[in-house]
Amino acid sequence: MRFAALLATATAVAAAAVSFSARAQMPVPPVAGQLPPPLVSVTGTGEIKVAPDQVCLRVGVETRADKLDDAKRDNDAKMKAMLAVLKAKGIEAKDVQTDYLNIQPLYPMDAPGNVRLQPNGYSVRRNATVLLRKVEKFDEVLSALIASGSNAVDDIEFRTSKLDEYRQQARLKAILHAKEKATTLVGAVGSKLGRAYSINEENNVYQPVMYKQAMRAEMMDASGGGGATLAPGEITVSTTVQASFVME
């Protein structure tokens, strides 16, 4: 009997706590006729520029032959050679993904327009996306891929593995910038800056260094050229906040 009474009391307390928590989270409606405090509203921007520590490249193999089976067989062999090269270069399997396969018939370009065309060959294209966790390995790996049979590079993206950390830094800079602007404005009219009334993030921009290309192997130096061939530059992480402060 005593246990039942204690259980009923505990249940009632828990229900009251949940009810109080729900009410506390609801916004307090403004009192009719009550004016908001004097506010100063500003925007603040924060920008972080960092050197990339990763590079993601999308490479492909395209093969052609009179018969589809031959084109497919040649493509499979070259893709297998590419994957073997990546493994030999220390690229983990989780950082390699074959994500595209396209097969197309090839038609003669000089056939009369009123003739029903028959394909005179086939093209097979397959892509792989590779993540390099060391930027300095880019030239070495790309040259090895080309030597193994890759004949197209579609995208090269230099990125950072610490994106969340840099976004937080950009937000902090944006808020401090907004506060600095608000302090200058209220000081110019003889007031003091009070507490923050509202803060909203308007946008958060991440700009990796992109090289969008459709480069064929014959346009590139498969030997590597004896030096770096691509400068990664810097990645930009930026954000903008809208903030309102009470004027005192």
Side-chain angles (χ1 to χ4, degrees):
M1 199 61 184
R2 184 179 178 184
F3 176 76
L6 289 174
L7 180 61
T9 303
T11 304
V13 171
V18 172
S19 176
F20 174 79
S21 175
R23 290 196 302 270
Q25 292 175 5
M26 294 186 64
V28 178
V31 178
Q34 181 179 351
L35 296 176
L39 301 174
V40 56
S41 297
V42 294
T43 58
T45 57
E47 183 176 278
I48 302 291
K49 289 184 177 292
V50 297
D53 60 2
Q54 294 180 344
V55 57
C56 184
L57 60 152
R58 186 178 172 89
V59 294
V61 175
E62 181 176 342
T63 54
R64 297 187 179 190
D66 293 340
K67 296 182 179 180
L68 177 57
D69 288 345
D70 293 338
K72 178 68 165 52
R73 188 180 303 108
D74 187 20
N75 194 282
D76 289 343
K78 290 183 177 179
M79 178 58 68
K80 185 177 180 179
M82 282 177 50
L83 296 178
V85 163
L86 293 172
K87 184 177 181 179
K89 293 297 181 181
I91 310 302
E92 297 185 28
K94 66 179 182 179
D95 294 330
V96 181
Q97 180 181 10
T98 54
D99 56 3
Y100 177 83
L101 175 65
N102 181 263
I103 299 176
Q104 288 188 341
L106 302 175
Y107 297 96
M109 301 296 294
D110 55 352
N114 59 349
V115 176
R116 184 172 182 176
L117 297 180
Q118 295 294 327
N120 61 357
Y122 294 87
S123 169
V124 177
R125 169 73 180 266
R126 182 176 294 174
N127 279 3
T129 301
V130 183
L131 176 63
L132 303 180
R133 298 183 184 273
K134 294 183 179 180
V135 176
E136 60 271 17
K137 296 187 70 172
F138 170 78
D139 283 292
E140 174 190 349
V141 171
L142 182 59
S143 296
L145 287 173
I146 294 172
S148 70
S150 175
N151 52 12
V153 179
D154 295 325
D155 296 304
I156 302 172
E157 176 187 344
F158 288 91
R159 56 173 67 167
T160 177
S161 61
K162 301 179 180 179
L163 181 57
D164 289 340
E165 176 183 336
Y166 295 134
R167 277 179 170 159
Q168 288 294 87
Q169 293 181 21
R171 288 187 182 105
L172 180 58
K173 289 186 69 173
I175 293 171
L176 293 177
H177 182 222
K179 186 176 180 180
E180 180 183 348
K181 288 171 67 174
T183 301
T184 300
L185 290 174
V186 299
V189 295
S191 298
K192 293 182 179 181
L193 189 67
R195 64 180 178 84
Y197 189 79
S198 67
I199 300 176
N200 296 298
E201 185 175 34
E202 294 186 343
N203 53 48
N204 194 304
V205 180
Y206 166 56
Q207 296 178 338
V209 182
M210 296 289 297
Y211 294 85
K212 285 188 175 292
Q213 318 178 40
M215 301 183 295
R216 298 298 175 184
E218 60 266 25
M219 300 172 61
M220 306 170 65
D221 181 7
S223 66
T229 61
L230 203 60
E234 289 185 324
I235 294 170
T236 300
V237 182
S238 63
T239 190
T240 301
V241 299
Q242 174 75 36
S244 296
F245 298 87
V246 176
M247 297 175 61
E248 296 180 345

